[in-house]
């Protein structure tokens, strides 16, 4: 009899399995896909480590999480500094003094603050009713029109005035010349790739791939005292209250005969006409490695999500949060099932938050 049957070999499942195995519990992992790692799965093309489900940059300010991942991977010093492309005009991200100089020619923080305040005041918005009004109140017309409006509409499949204001309660605005996107002390990419990191996390633990737990749940549930489910919580309950909504993504990956295509790992296309939101050039995550005459790029297209497709971004609006609340109430009554990870808790998590939440869970967990 297993102590824990963990459904999903992504970051949440692998973390849980590692910690509980080291505590002396017998764990087994089931994975529906043909690979471990979930959405941080990476593989080599032309000697370049390619992030197959979109770029993942590890960053955290949680010392316990940083210590944990460094047990399984050695990280390089990569710092994410994307560039925004608006109809060929290039702007540094996140919004910082370089961005403001590119927009207005301002050279001091005081000048930039005055310009943002002037534009925001012109909008005369007291209580924002939607995302557009929220952004205009926070950063004014120029930043909104060039760097937020088109990108956000593509990402969510709706115009900004149709999106709730809470999506951007605040925007990262930095009055320093600093293009470091994540303001965390620990950042980097595993030198051997994310798949190798997860493989190390699962070392010595039985993992069964190409296995759909939900198709044979009674058989698998009978094998363990407790199930840890990191898949969609609504799928576990057979969508009895309805399906939770997500946004999805589509990727087009291409090998190019050049050593350097765009000079940066992430180029965001913020106009509404370009159908993709960004181009990722994977070589820049570990620059200097791989085939010197080749590079690999991936165009990322936002997509309408349909049931059964890969779910990326939860639509945490009022309707979906209420629906999740129904599933959560049912989940609280479970004695032998634990829900974890972004799909199990219907939240968008950065990688460090996934690990942190599971470490907290295992610290507080009594025997199932």
């Amino acid at each position: 009899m297993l102590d824990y049957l963990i459904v999903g070999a992504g970051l949440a499942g692998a973390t849980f399995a590692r910690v509980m195995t080291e505590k002396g519990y017998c764990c087994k992992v089931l994975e529906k896909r043909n690979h471990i790692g979930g959405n941080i799965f990476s593989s080599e093309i032309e000697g370049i480590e390619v992030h197959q489900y979109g770029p993942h940059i590890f960053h955290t300010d949680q010392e316990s999480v940083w210590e944990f991942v460094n047990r399984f991977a050695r990280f390089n010093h990569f710092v994410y500094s994307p560039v925004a492309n608006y109809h060929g005009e290039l702007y540094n991200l996140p919004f910082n003094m370089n961005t403001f100089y590119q927009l207005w020619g301002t050279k001091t923080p005081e000048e930039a603050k005055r310009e943002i305040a002037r534009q925001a005041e012109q909008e005369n918005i007291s209580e924002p009713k939607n995302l557009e009004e929220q952004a205009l109140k926070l950063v004014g017309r120029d930043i909104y029109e060039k760097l937020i409006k088109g990108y956000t509409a593509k990402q969510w499949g709706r115009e900004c005035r149709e999106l709730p204001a809470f999506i951007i309660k605040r925007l990262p605005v930095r009055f320093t010349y600093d293009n470091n996107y994540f303001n965390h002390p620990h950042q980097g990419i595993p030198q051997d790739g994310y798949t190798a990191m997860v493989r190390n996390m699962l070392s010595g633990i039985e993992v069964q791939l190409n296995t759909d737990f939900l198709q044979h749940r009674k058989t698998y549930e009978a094998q363990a005292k407790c199930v840890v489910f990191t898949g969609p919580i609504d799928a576990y309950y057979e969508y009895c209250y309805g399906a939770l909504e997500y946004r999805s993504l589509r990727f087009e990956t291409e090998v190019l005969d050049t050593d350097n295509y765009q000079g940066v790992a992430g180029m965001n296309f913020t106009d509404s006409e370009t159908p993709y939101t960004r181009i990722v050039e994977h070589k820049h995550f570990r620059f200097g490695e791989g085939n010197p005459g080749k590079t690999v790029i991936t165009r990322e297209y936002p997509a309408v999500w349909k049931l059964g497709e890969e779910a990326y971004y939860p639509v945490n609006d009022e309707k979906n949060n209420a629906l999740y609340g129904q599933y959560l109430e049912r989940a609280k009554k479970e004695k032998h099932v634990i829900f974890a990870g972004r799909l199990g808790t219907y939240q968008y998590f950065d990688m460090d938050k996934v690990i942190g939440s599971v470490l907290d869970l295992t610290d507080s967990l009594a025997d199932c």
Side-chain angles (χ1 to χ4, degrees):
M1 174 66 73
L2 296 165
D3 292 306
Y4 292 99
L5 181 70
I6 297 127
V7 181
L11 204 48
T15 300
F16 189 96
R18 179 78 266 150
V19 173
M20 298 309 286
T21 296
E22 291 179 353
K23 287 186 176 185
Y25 293 94
C26 183
C27 299
K28 178 179 178 179
V29 179
L30 303 182
E31 171 55 54
K32 186 177 180 179
R33 298 176 182 177
N34 63 359
H35 60 76
I36 62 172
N39 284 357
I40 65 171
F41 173 69
S42 60
S43 60
E44 281 196 1
I45 300 176
E46 296 289 345
I48 300 165
E49 195 74 19
V50 175
H51 299 204
Q52 297 290 344
Y53 298 92
H56 288 82
I57 298 89
F58 198 91
H59 56 95
T60 188
D61 57 1
Q62 300 179 66
E63 294 297 330
S64 60
V65 170
W66 185 240
E67 291 172 6
F68 180 79
V69 294
N70 273 270
R71 292 175 51 197
F72 311 104
R74 183 179 178 185
F75 287 77
N76 65 14
H77 62 280
F78 178 81
V79 171
Y80 193 46
S81 301
V83 173
N85 185 321
Y86 178 76
H87 294 303
E89 300 173 10
L90 302 183
Y91 299 96
N92 290 109
L93 297 174
F95 310 143
N96 69 81
M97 288 300 297
N98 289 311
T99 321
F100 308 144
Y101 177 77
Q102 292 154 349
L103 282 166
W104 310 309
T106 53
K107 298 178 181 179
T108 68
E110 189 59 36
E111 289 176 330
K113 288 177 183 179
R114 280 202 304 266
E115 180 59 25
I116 291 174
R118 183 189 68 81
Q119 291 193 21
E121 187 177 353
Q122 283 184 338
E123 300 299 330
N124 194 27
I125 298 169
S126 56
E127 293 294 330
K129 298 181 180 63
N130 52 54
L131 187 149
E132 177 174 273
E133 292 185 357
Q134 180 72 73
L136 290 170
K137 182 179 181 181
L138 290 171
V139 294
R141 179 68 58 175
D142 288 349
I143 294 176
Y144 170 70
E145 290 287 346
K146 291 190 173 186
L147 302 178
I148 298 173
K149 183 179 180 180
Y151 187 92
T152 305
K154 287 188 292 188
Q155 190 78 354
W156 291 100
R158 285 186 281 174
E159 295 299 321
C160 290
R161 66 179 65 92
E162 299 172 3
L163 292 166
F166 71 80
I167 292 179
I168 54 166
K169 289 183 178 179
R170 58 188 179 87
L171 286 168
V173 177
R174 300 179 190 163
F175 295 97
T176 57
Y177 290 92
D178 183 4
N179 301 324
N180 180 352
Y181 195 81
F182 301 113
N183 195 20
H184 284 157
H186 305 300
Q187 302 182 50
I189 303 287
Q191 290 189 354
D192 295 325
Y194 282 106
T195 302
M197 182 183 81
V198 176
R199 186 180 300 116
N200 290 338
M201 293 170 69
L202 292 169
S203 176
I205 300 168
E206 183 181 358
V207 178
Q208 187 172 316
L209 302 177
N210 301 304
T211 302
D212 190 339
F213 165 82
L214 293 177
Q215 286 187 357
H216 306 283
R217 61 195 302 165
K218 290 185 178 180
T219 300
Y220 291 122
E221 285 172 342
Q223 298 177 8
K225 297 175 184 176
C226 187
V227 171
V228 180
F229 192 77
T230 69
I233 188 172
D234 53 347
Y236 181 87
Y237 289 114
E238 299 178 313
Y239 309 102
C240 62
Y241 303 124
L244 293 164
E245 294 179 299
Y246 292 85
R247 285 290 287 169
S248 193
L249 296 171
R250 178 172 62 86
F251 304 101
E252 289 183 358
T253 297
E254 184 179 1
V255 178
L256 302 177
D257 295 323
T258 181
D259 66 328
N260 187 352
Y261 175 70
Q262 63 185 15
V264 68
M267 180 81 72
N268 291 5
F269 291 80
T270 58
D271 61 273
S272 58
E273 290 79 15
T274 304
Y276 43 86
T277 51
R278 60 182 168 185
I279 294 178
V280 175
E281 187 170 7
H282 302 269
K283 176 178 279 188
H284 292 284
F285 294 127
R286 290 157 47 189
F287 200 77
E289 300 183 18
N291 189 331
K294 301 283 187 179
T295 194
V296 181
I297 65 169
T298 299
R299 294 179 179 87
E300 191 171 302
Y301 296 80
V304 175
W305 176 80
K306 297 177 183 176
L307 196 62
E309 296 180 343
E310 186 58 39
Y312 286 91
Y313 303 109
V315 181
N316 292 120
D317 58 15
E318 186 176 343
K319 180 186 75 172
N320 282 284
N321 285 340
L323 182 58
Y324 169 67
Q326 291 180 272
Y327 285 114
L328 182 59
E329 286 303 310
R330 185 163 176 178
K332 288 178 180 178
K333 299 174 184 176
E334 299 284 358
K335 294 182 179 180
H336 303 288
V337 182
I338 298 169
F339 295 92
R342 62 185 183 88
L343 298 176
T345 60
Y346 196 60
Q347 297 183 61
Y348 178 78
F349 276 137
D350 286 330
M351 288 182 285
D352 67 322
K353 297 299 188 293
V354 171
I355 294 172
S357 67
V358 174
L359 293 179
D360 289 343
L361 171 64
T362 54
D363 281 345
S364 64
L365 199 61
D367 287 348
C368 194

